[in-house]
């Protein structure tokens, strides 16, 4: 019965809510979440006067902010944590799936989605800064959508309350989502290690849980570890891709020609495939950069900034790193391989085959290790996000924080040894519900973020 309910909600959130017919006999299936996120991104891009393009230099300058106390986060550290969760297996397997289903043109629509997603990320991160509060357990600050939704509802009701329904629903949805993601993480890592090193999934799962437990059960170890591994993994992946591009530079004009030709679907429209090109690119862009889902604001709230808009600019830059840089790296690795060599392949098998073509067995091992680092950092990031939601729901007690960490570790172990459980769908339902509650709050609250943007631009 429960599984059937979860499946129904999943299909409502992620299934094709409407079908738009296209020339050539194809159609575009649009889900409820696409209907929410795309108009929201366009609206905030216009309201911020194309902030991602206009204020890109300011995004870089915002990273230089320093913190006043040792337990709070700097702007750069908040970017590291949000990047840890954004840059995950979606940047590898997800991009492979999008390009496999939608062709090279899907990459262009990922780029467009990143631009509009950056504006949404700015609004929600700035609001998280405005509505943050001190964290008595970990030190520094905490916040996120559960907190700014709470303040919005208090303002509308005209009185103070301990809980607000929509804030509670957001917090619960987040905790459910992150438990589901824990399972998907360990399953992907275990599968890639089995393919690359012939290590049984059970052994990989045990090792992953032990390493994770040592880190997340210590008070401040999560942030310290992320500070180290996230820059290393992102830079290594970027430079390996640059090397592959340099070796195949003669093919670049043809690759970019394919991306732009297929993006507008002249050939695909005739063949009835333009919908796949557009929607695969859009979906991958949206759900890789997480803009609008309400996850990254949990990191943004923890940052110590002299102006709230700076936290927004930092998170807007995070969307750029995730989609324009890391997702594009994966796409280039695939598109620089002869099409006949990877025809019929999908998922990690396709990506490992592409890396084998470029770098031999080293490439296969490199992708397995990269997936491990991407996924492991995602797990650490979501545990950090969970802090504020657990505190909102259960108060400031270490027992509740520890119990959630143990639950996430159990899910991490189960995911590594089980090929599939309904909890995976539950994770997708969780992030879908988070997005709905968050987007509903962003519109009435966005005026506050836009005022902070005006104040920032006057000062700079």
């Amino acid at each position: 019965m429960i599984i059937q309910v979860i499946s129904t909600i999943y299909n409502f959130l992620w299934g094709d809510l409407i079908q738009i017919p296209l020339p050539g006999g194809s159609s575009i299936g649009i889900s409820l979440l696409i209907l929410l996120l795309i108009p929201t991104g366009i609206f905030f891009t216009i309201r911020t006067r194309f902030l991602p393009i206009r204020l890109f230099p300011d995004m870089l300058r915002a990273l230089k902010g320093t913190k006043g106390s040792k337990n709070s986060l700097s702007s750069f550290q908040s970017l590291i944590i949000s990047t840890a969760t954004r840059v995950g297996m979606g940047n590898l397997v997800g991009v492979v799936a999008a390009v496999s289903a939608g062709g090279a043109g899907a990459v262009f629509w990922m780029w467009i989605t990143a631009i509009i997603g950056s504006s949404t990320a700015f609004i929600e991160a700035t609001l998280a800064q405005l509505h943050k509060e001190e964290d008595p357990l970990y030190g520094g600050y905490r916040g996120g959508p559960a907190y700014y939704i709470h303040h919005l509802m208090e303002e509308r009701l005209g009185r103070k309350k301990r809980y607000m329904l929509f804030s509670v629903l957001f917090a619960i949805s987040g905790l459910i989502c992150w438990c589901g993601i824990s399972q998907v993480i360990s399953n992907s890592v275990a599968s890639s290690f089995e393919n690359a090193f012939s290590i049984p999934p059970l052994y990989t799962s045990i090792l992953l849980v032990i390493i994770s437990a040592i880190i997340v059960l210590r008070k401040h170890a999560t942030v310290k570890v992320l500070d180290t591994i996230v820059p290393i993994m992102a830079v290594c992946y970027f430079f390996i891709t640059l090397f592959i591009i340099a070796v195949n530079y003669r093919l670049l004009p043809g690759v970019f020609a394919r991306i732009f030709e297929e993006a507008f679907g002249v050939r695909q429209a005739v063949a009835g495939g333009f919908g796949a090109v557009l929607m695969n690119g859009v979906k991958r862009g949206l759900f890789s950069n997480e803009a609008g889902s309400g996850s990254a604001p949990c990191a943004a709230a923890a940052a110590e900034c002299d102006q709230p808009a700076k936290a927004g600019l930092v998170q807007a830059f995070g969307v750029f790193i995730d989609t324009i840089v890391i997702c594009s790296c994966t796409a280039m690795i695939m598109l620089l391989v002869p099409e006949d060599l990877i025809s019929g392949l999908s998922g990690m098998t396709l990506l490992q085959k592409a890396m084998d073509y470029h770098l031999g067995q080293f490439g296969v091992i490199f992708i397995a290790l990269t997936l491990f680092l991407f996924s492991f950092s995602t797990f650490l990031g979501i545990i950090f996000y969970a802090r504020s939601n657990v505190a909102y729901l259960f108060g400031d007690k270490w027992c509740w924080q520890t119990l959630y960490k143990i639950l996430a570790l159990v899910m991490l172990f189960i995911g590594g040894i089980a090929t599939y459980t309904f909890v995976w769908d539950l994770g997708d339902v969780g992030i879908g519900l988070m997005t709905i509650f968050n987007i509903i709050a962003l519109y009435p609250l966005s005026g506050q973020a836009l005022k902070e943007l005006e104040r920032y631009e006057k000062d700079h």
Side-chain angles (χ1 to χ4, degrees):
M1 180 65 180
I2 295 176
I3 295 175
Q4 187 176 359
V5 170
I6 296 300
S7 179
T8 302
I9 298 173
Y10 174 87
N11 290 330
F12 175 70
L13 294 171
W14 296 88
D16 293 338
L17 193 65
I18 60 173
Q19 290 280 347
I20 300 176
L22 294 172
S26 68
S27 63
I28 297 180
I30 303 179
S31 68
L32 174 62
L33 292 174
I34 296 289
L35 284 172
L36 284 174
L37 288 167
I38 291 295
T40 299
I42 294 171
F43 176 75
F44 289 135
T45 300
I46 294 170
R47 291 295 308 276
T48 59
R49 292 175 290 126
F50 293 87
L51 174 145
I53 299 170
R54 188 170 57 85
L55 295 180
F56 187 79
D58 293 77
M59 294 181 194
L60 299 175
R61 283 193 288 269
L63 296 173
K64 298 178 182 177
T66 56
K67 59 181 182 178
S69 61
K70 69 174 186 176
N71 289 330
S72 61
L73 301 185
S74 66
S75 297
F76 184 72
Q77 285 178 310
S78 72
L79 175 67
I80 291 295
I81 292 170
S82 61
T83 300
T85 57
R86 286 190 177 111
V87 178
M89 59 199 168
N91 297 82
L92 300 178
V93 181
V95 173
V96 170
V99 176
S100 298
V107 178
F108 174 83
W109 294 110
M110 278 175 13
W111 295 339
I112 297 299
T113 304
I115 292 173
I116 64 173
S118 293
S119 301
T120 306
F122 170 83
I123 297 293
E124 60 182 0
T126 303
L127 289 173
Q129 267 288 304
L130 285 168
H131 296 270
K132 69 184 180 183
E133 60 181 42
E134 291 187 0
D135 188 339
L137 285 181
Y138 291 94
Y141 300 95
R142 68 179 177 211
Y147 294 80
Y148 58 68
I149 292 171
H150 183 96
H151 294 157
L152 171 65
M153 298 303 294
E154 281 187 335
E155 184 181 324
R156 294 294 168 90
L157 291 173
R159 65 179 187 272
K160 297 283 186 180
K161 290 188 71 175
R162 172 64 182 91
Y163 293 109
M164 290 293 176
L165 177 60
F166 282 116
S167 292
V168 169
L169 292 174
F170 176 88
I172 292 172
S173 298
L175 297 181
I176 289 172
C177 165
W178 296 323
C179 270
I181 289 174
S182 298
Q183 286 208 327
V184 181
I185 285 169
S186 55
N187 188 267
S188 299
V189 171
S191 298
S192 68
F193 270 50
E194 188 174 25
N195 292 336
F197 309 112
S198 300
I199 299 174
L202 177 63
Y203 298 159
T204 302
S205 303
I206 291 172
L207 181 63
L208 188 60
V209 170
I210 290 173
I211 295 172
S212 300
I214 291 171
I215 295 169
V216 302
L217 294 176
R218 294 175 62 195
K219 187 175 180 180
H220 294 299
T222 299
V223 175
K224 292 177 181 176
V225 172
L226 288 176
D227 279 349
T228 302
I229 66 173
V230 171
I232 291 173
M233 73 180 192
V235 169
C236 286
Y237 192 59
F238 179 65
F239 278 105
I240 283 287
T241 306
L242 283 184
F243 172 77
I244 291 171
I245 289 172
V247 171
N248 298 278
Y249 73 94
R250 292 186 181 87
L251 301 176
L252 281 181
V255 168
F256 280 101
R258 275 184 63 196
I259 289 173
F260 289 107
E261 285 172 7
E262 295 184 19
F264 297 99
V266 176
R267 183 182 59 177
Q268 284 67 28
V270 175
F274 178 64
V277 175
L278 177 62
M279 294 316 298
N280 277 285
V282 168
K283 286 178 181 177
R284 177 45 43 207
L286 284 174
F287 303 119
S288 176
N289 62 52
E290 296 183 352
S293 71
S295 294
C298 298
E304 191 171 337
C305 297
D306 57 348
Q307 288 184 294
K310 288 185 178 180
L313 290 169
V314 167
Q315 295 306 320
F317 182 64
V319 174
F320 172 86
I321 293 174
D322 172 83
T323 308
I324 303 295
V325 178
I326 304 298
C327 285
S328 296
C329 285
T330 303
M332 286 297 165
I333 289 170
M334 289 177 56
L335 296 175
L336 288 169
V337 178
E339 290 185 65
D340 59 332
L341 193 65
I342 54 176
S343 177
L345 300 178
S346 62
M348 279 302 294
T349 305
L350 190 157
L351 189 55
Q352 287 180 323
K353 182 68 174 178
M355 288 299 284
D356 182 60
Y357 170 80
H358 292 302
L359 301 172
Q361 185 61 26
F362 169 78
V364 177
I365 294 172
F366 175 79
I367 281 295
L369 294 175
T370 299
L371 181 64
F372 170 78
L373 286 176
F374 280 16
S375 301
F376 181 61
S377 66
T378 297
F379 179 75
L380 298 183
I382 61 179
I383 291 297
F384 182 91
Y385 286 170
R387 288 181 184 180
S388 57
N389 285 11
V390 170
Y392 180 82
L393 290 172
F394 304 108
D396 297 311
K397 292 185 178 179
W398 281 113
C399 62
W400 296 113
Q401 295 284 343
T402 304
L403 276 174
Y404 184 77
K405 291 175 182 178
I406 292 172
L407 174 62
L409 289 167
V410 170
M411 291 298 181
L412 192 69
F413 177 74
I414 293 172
I417 59 176
T419 55
Y420 176 83
T421 74
F422 86 98
V423 179
W424 290 26
D425 283 349
L426 199 59
D428 287 336
V429 166
I431 197 169
L433 293 174
M434 286 169 64
T435 302
I436 291 173
F437 299 133
N438 187 45
I439 293 294
I440 289 172
L442 289 185
Y443 282 100
L445 287 170
S446 60
Q448 298 177 18
L450 293 170
K451 284 181 181 177
E452 289 299 325
L453 178 59
E454 289 178 14
R455 188 175 292 119
Y456 170 83
E457 293 193 81
K458 283 180 182 177
D459 294 342
H460 294 79

